[in-house]
Amino acid sequence: MSGSAARTATADVVCLGESMVTFLPSQPGRLADVPSFGRGIGGAESNVACALAAAGHGAKWVGRVGADGFGDHLVDAIAGYGVDTSAVRRDPDRPTGVYFRTATDRATDAHEVAYYRAGSAASAMSPHNVPYDDLLTTRVLHLSGITAALSADCLALLHDLTAPRDGRPLISFDVNHRPGLWREGEAGPEVLLALAHRSDLVFVGEDEAEEAWGVHGTEAIRAALPEPDVLVVKRGADGVTVFSRSGGGDTVTTVPSLRVDVVAAVGAGDAFAAGFLSATLRDLPVRDRARHGHLMAAAVLTVPGDLTGPPPRAYADRLAALDDEAWGTLRLGPGWTVADGANEEVRVT
């Protein structure tokens, strides 16, 4: 982490990207059959900012929304988590993006998402209209591949922000490969690989690395991405493997996933990134960074929406410090984040 950036930091973490109003189904079923939807907020980078702010860190979200009611709702809702939204810009000519989704697991064929984001205010972000002072005076700048797919201007912005420069903050990059967002003829996988090469901390799923780059297995992914100081390979139910550069080589740390009674399988990747970043800001050991990622993900997996309050820090620290055998016995279900020592049954089976 750059010393000069840390000395002048105005926030622990700045997250740049599109946030949208999310319409959540009132019941399971096809979009064609769902009778009504509840309103929420969604966006990979703003989700990370909300989780970090709720966990007690200084978090700022930088984005663009329309000068409309949905934009008002987004800014107010994100600020409600304690996120600094002072750098959000309003676009009088473009709308705030919205999307609708089904209640099923995003990994299944039954899952449907209908995006209405083409020409959105966020897609107009560029190196010429975002506040660079806010983006660069932070300890960590968190980005994702979703932003790169929104428009040529958004890609130019990410390319510029990941460029080597004196005193730049630690660049955290979540690959977030979403094939449906890339326009025909665009080499999305190559673009994402190039951005990951230029980042300091990279999050990537083992499955998305295979889909995007044809690379299978943690060692092969590290071979394809040797530059980041920290590479977090998410392996689903098998946990995560973290490659962290130490001296002349890598330290490899594998941390199993938790057993979770899942309510809705959405938002877990963003929550994991937030938990890992939170522990990174606290300079915790790599194992505990990954465990805090799992715990933050478990908090989201046990609620219906993309966001929820994290467990109290002292409680999460106690769980993250468990020995391997005790960690393996944890099973977390709805309500576990408010459990304490007097309610062991909520979290352990």
Side-chain angles (χ1 to χ4, degrees), residues 261 263 298-299 302-303 308 315 332-340 343 346-347:
D261 296 328
V263 172
T302 50
V303 298
T308 190
Y315 179 34
L332 306 178
W336 78 268
T337 58
V338 296
D340 57 30
N343 293 291
V346 174
R347 62 178 180 84

Side-chain angles (χ1 to χ4, degrees), residues 16-209:
L16 168 84
E18 179 174 34
S19 192
M20 295 178 290
V21 172
T22 308
F23 288 95
L24 308 173
S26 58
Q27 64 185 43
R30 302 182 310 149
L31 286 179
D33 300 328
V34 174
S36 60
F37 296 81
R39 185 179 65 175
I41 61 174
E45 301 85 1
S46 60
N47 285 348
V48 172
C50 289
L52 283 166
H57 298 283
K60 178 179 288 189
W61 172 56
V62 176
R64 243 176 127 74
V65 299
D68 51 33
F70 286 149
D72 294 341
H73 173 65
L74 275 176
V75 174
D76 290 346
I78 292 169
Y81 281 87
V83 177
D84 181 348
T85 59
S86 62
V88 177
R89 299 293 182 260
R90 309 301 291 261
D91 191 321
D93 302 315
R94 297 175 179 84
T96 303
V98 302
Y99 74 97
F100 297 76
R101 67 168 173 83
T102 53
T104 50
D105 186 338
R106 150 178 310 157
T108 69
D109 292 337
H111 186 67
E112 297 175 73
V113 181
Y115 288 108
Y116 298 91
R117 74 198 310 175
S120 70
S123 70
M125 290 188 295
S126 80
H128 309 294
N129 63 15
V130 298
Y132 268 60
D133 286 347
D134 292 284
L135 294 171
L136 298 177
T137 54
T138 180
R139 295 175 64 188
V140 178
L141 175 59
H142 181 70
L143 310 168
S144 96
I146 293 173
T147 304
L150 296 181
S151 69
D153 282 342
C154 284
L155 174 55
L157 174 60
L158 260 62
H159 190 268
D160 191 45
L161 290 171
T162 57
R165 53 166 48 91
D166 290 340
R168 83 173 192 178
L170 183 148
I171 302 296
S172 168
F173 181 68
D174 192 335
V175 171
N176 262 326
H177 176 48
R178 305 285 175 83
L181 290 181
W182 292 92
R183 295 159 296 281
E184 186 176 355
E186 289 183 320
E190 289 82 357
V191 167
L192 296 175
L193 187 62
L195 290 170
H197 280 310
R198 295 152 65 99
S199 301
D200 304 304
L201 165 58
V202 172
F203 300 94
V204 64
E206 192 172 34
D207 55 348
E208 67 181 342

